[in-house]
Amino acid sequence: MTNRWPWRVRWSLRAKLFIAFMLLGLLVIVATTLLGSRLLQRSAVNDARISLQQMAGSLAAALAQPEYGVAPGSKVQASAISALPATTKLRESGATILVARANGRLIYTSRGAGRVGAVALRELVDEVLLTGHVRQSVVSEPFRQATVLAGAPISNGHTLVGAVVVGRSLHAVRAAEGVPGALLWRAALLTMVLSILLSLVLASSLARPVGEMVRATEEIRRGNLSRRVPVRGHDEMAVLARSFNSMAERLEQLLHDRRALLVGVSHELRTPLTPIQGFVQALADGLVPEDERHRTYAVIQGEVARLRRLIDDLFELSKLETRQMSLRLEDVAVAELLHAARDRAVVVAHSESTRMEVACDPSAGVVRVDPDRLFQVLSNLVGNAQRFTPPGGRITLRASGTDHQVHMEVEDTGSGIAPEDLPRVFDRFYTVDRSRSRPAAGTGLGLALAREIVHVHGGEIGVRSEVGRGSVFWIDLPRQGPESTDTTG
Ligand SMILES: Nc1ncnc2c1ncn2[C@@H]1O[C@H](COP(=O)(O)OP(=O)(O)OP(=O)(O)O)[C@@H](O)[C@H]1O
Ligand SMILES: [Mg+2]
């Protein structure tokens, strides 16, 4: 598939996470810094107002003295005003000072470094003269530094003789008092660098497990089924890693089972084919005497039948395993099932050397099953018991039940099964007795089929055994049949 947008950058997960974290971090830092500088400015304005008010007050008190010529009729002493320590200090700090007489005439003006609006200063002079009280204001114009103004009346006893107004731009206030605005932005810059580094670390640590999983998937796709990913911590990534590993394990197991099945099937198919081929060749070459021919045909027929049974069993097993087998569920008396299995075994055995008993408790009652399939299971269990129980032994078919469950057992007094073989008797092609060439030997599919049939009925099958004493194969089935019967044929 061609890329429709060649210009589009293919971001890695790490890059995406990094950019997201970084942008978020920068946004928070910029917003915090802006807010901080705004608060700082507000507090600076407040401080400037208070200190300016005090300065204007003390200047007004000093100017009340007659030697400065503020009172009407006296001569204005501008140089004396200028030499006052309060005036000098204010001028040095970049403030603008205005001194006016009560009639509004300006008698002293000093322009500081800061750009303070002349109109605003003049207005405050008039206001102080009009009210005779201390006044102050803050003038802020767009795109210009705010200006703080303070004015105080100059009184001679109880008579208002003039006014003094002091103004300072906030810029000058900041410069003079060292408001840490620049420090704030410097700190912000440092935090930004830290946030970028932190984003890088976070993005890498979050993207790492995903990267590991991508590499592991790729390796598994190439055939290395033993590849697993490390599980760290307990978060969702750990859960994902654990599921990934169990999936890989299952896949490996399935592949192993498939190989084992292929080996088993080819081995089991070869066993009857070898004698068939040999006997047919002998017949074709005319090597079998006339009186032996009948027996030879019978052997070939027996092996063909064995081959047929093997193929039928395999087909049935695969249908059961893939749940493609339909069950014809009926309510059947458990006692009937046990008797049918016993009767068939007696007919097949052609001998009565093994005692066969049915002990069905009335509590076993009726169970909802596919009777043909259950009969097949019980027949295999009884057949096995007969094969492994020497003459004089006993086989007992038992059953009991509760409201929800039916329990069945096939017990024998035969050879028993060694503990190491016990877990594997339900595996396909597993036979303890390796001499399969004996006619009586089975193909090892009976118990695998039995287990699948019991499972599709929603039940369980198991075995307990003791070498030399005998075995008990048991089945538990839900009385009402399997919960869902979506085993369609
Ligand atoms: N009652 C038993 N006593 C001792 N060994 C048993 C008994 N039942 C089963 N086994 C062992 O378990 C193996 C598997 O049994 P299973 O019924 O699956 O296969 P099979 O009887 O050999 O062949 P098939 O049933 O396909 O004809 C048997 O070959 C036997 O070795
Ligand atoms: Mg069997």
Side-chain angles (χ1 to χ4, degrees):
M1 202 179 84
T2 55
N3 195 348
R4 278 201 291 151
W5 297 290
W7 43 267
R8 216 159 89 164
V9 186
R10 290 178 67 208
W11 299 93
S12 69
L13 179 68
R14 199 171 89 140
K16 279 184 197 163
L17 284 173
F18 169 63
I19 288 171
F21 288 147
M22 190 188 64
L23 285 182
L24 196 72
L26 294 188
L27 207 72
V28 171
I29 292 165
V30 169
T32 321
T33 314
L34 279 177
L35 192 75
S37 84
R38 186 111 206 136
L39 288 174
L40 267 180
Q41 176 158 341
R42 191 174 290 176
S43 100
V45 170
N46 267 341
D47 291 351
R49 273 161 71 169
I50 293 165
S51 79
L52 220 56
Q53 190 64 66
Q54 283 166 355
M55 286 179 186
S58 58
L59 192 57
L63 290 173
Q65 304 305 315
E67 64 260 38
Y68 300 107
V70 180
S74 57
K75 190 169 181 298
V76 177
Q77 297 295 332
S79 55
I81 296 175
S82 183
L84 260 168
T87 323
T88 321
K89 198 177 151 207
L90 274 166
R91 266 206 323 273
E92 275 169 4
S93 71
T96 303
I97 309 160
L98 244 61
V99 182
R101 279 190 172 160
N103 61 3
R105 202 188 123 214
L106 288 179
I107 58 167
Y108 177 82
T109 312
S110 125
R111 282 236 156 254
R115 298 176 60 197
V116 182
V119 181
L121 282 164
R122 182 66 233 192
E123 273 175 5
L124 200 66
V125 168
D126 293 344
E127 216 178 297
V128 174
L129 289 175
L130 202 70
T131 58
H133 289 302
V134 173
R135 313 294 301 174
Q136 53 167 265
S137 71
V138 176
V139 182
S140 51
E141 294 164 38
F143 309 111
R144 288 191 62 178
Q145 278 287 338
T147 308
V148 189
L149 305 175
I154 305 169
S155 311
N156 185 358
H158 290 296
T159 327
L160 181 77
V161 290
V164 61
V165 168
V166 185
R168 265 174 107 184
S169 83
L170 205 62
H171 186 71
V173 174
R174 279 215 185 122
E177 277 152 46
V179 174
L183 188 71
L184 195 73
W185 283 104
R186 237 173 282 148
L189 203 70
L190 189 73
T191 326
M192 277 180 199
V193 173
L194 283 178
S195 125
I196 290 172
L197 288 177
L198 197 71
S199 305
L200 204 65
V201 173
L202 258 177
S204 299
S205 77
L206 278 177
R208 198 194 316 138
V210 179
E212 271 165 359
M213 226 164 286
V214 170
R215 282 190 293 280
T217 315
E218 188 55 28
E219 258 187 64
I220 286 177
R221 193 185 65 80
R222 281 203 227 105
N224 177 12
L225 287 172
S226 59
R227 179 72 153 89
R228 302 286 180 272
V229 289
V231 181
R232 294 188 198 93
H234 304 282
D235 58 3
E236 285 89 340
M237 288 315 294
V239 174
L240 188 63
R242 228 170 274 132
S243 316
F244 181 91
N245 286 346
S246 69
M247 187 187 72
E249 228 156 77
R250 178 101 184 93
L251 204 64
E252 200 178 8
Q253 184 63 43
L254 277 176
L255 215 72
H256 175 267
D257 287 355
R258 204 184 66 174
R259 282 197 201 112
L261 178 68
L262 266 176
V263 171
V265 168
S266 42
H267 176 85
E268 288 304 323
L269 288 177
R270 212 180 302 128
T271 309
L273 272 180
T274 310
I276 291 173
Q277 198 180 19
F279 283 124
V280 168
Q281 189 67 51
L283 283 169
D285 294 347
L287 297 175
V288 183
E290 189 71 41
D291 53 334
E292 283 282 312
R293 278 199 193 146
H294 189 71
R295 209 172 62 82
T296 308
Y297 284 128
V299 171
I300 293 173
Q301 218 165 15
E303 293 300 335
V304 168
R306 184 182 156 103
L307 210 55
R308 167 105 229 165
R309 193 163 68 87
L310 176 71
I311 290 165
D312 285 350
D313 282 357
L314 273 174
F315 185 59
E316 195 180 336
L317 194 58
S318 96
K319 277 211 306 190
L320 278 163
E321 280 174 345
T322 52
R323 299 292 187 265
Q324 286 176 343
M325 175 81 75
S326 62
L327 295 179
R328 282 188 200 87
L329 293 175
E330 278 172 38
D331 288 330
V332 194
V334 176
E336 233 174 77
L337 280 170
L338 297 191
H339 279 109
R342 197 264 318 259
D343 294 349
R344 178 183 182 272
V346 169
V347 171
V348 171
H350 302 297
S351 92
E352 307 232 342
S353 60
T354 322
R355 255 196 307 150
M356 209 158 330
E357 290 166 6
V358 173
C360 189
D361 192 85
S363 65
V366 169
V367 65
R368 192 161 179 76
V369 290
D370 181 329
D372 290 343
R373 301 268 162 236
L374 242 287
F375 177 72
Q376 187 183 347
V377 172
L378 289 171
S379 291
N380 179 53
L381 295 185
V382 177
N384 286 349
Q386 275 180 309
R387 251 170 54 217
F388 295 97
T389 306
R394 193 178 65 242
I395 297 168
T396 316
L397 287 86
R398 233 180 256 114
S400 61
T402 63
D403 282 353
H404 307 290
Q405 218 175 36
V406 173
H407 181 79
M408 294 179 220
E409 281 181 5
V410 177
E411 186 186 15
D412 65 56
T413 56
S415 58
I417 304 165
E420 64 270 21
D421 292 313
L422 219 46
R424 300 196 56 195
V425 289
F426 291 97
D427 289 356
R428 278 175 294 208
F429 302 122
Y430 192 81
T431 55
V432 178
D433 177 12
R434 303 291 186 295
S435 57
R436 292 184 191 169
S437 47
R438 285 189 313 148
T443 53
L445 284 174
L447 285 178
L449 270 169
R451 182 174 60 179
E452 286 308 320
I453 291 171
V454 171
H455 282 178
V456 292
H457 277 87
E460 277 304 325
I461 185 167
V463 59
R464 50 181 192 273
S465 184
E466 212 177 306
V467 177
R469 299 200 63 159
S471 318
V472 179
F473 280 84
W474 56 262
I475 301 170
D476 278 337
L477 287 173
R479 196 179 284 284
Q480 297 305 323
E483 269 170 20
S484 78
T485 51
D486 55 350
T487 47
T488 47

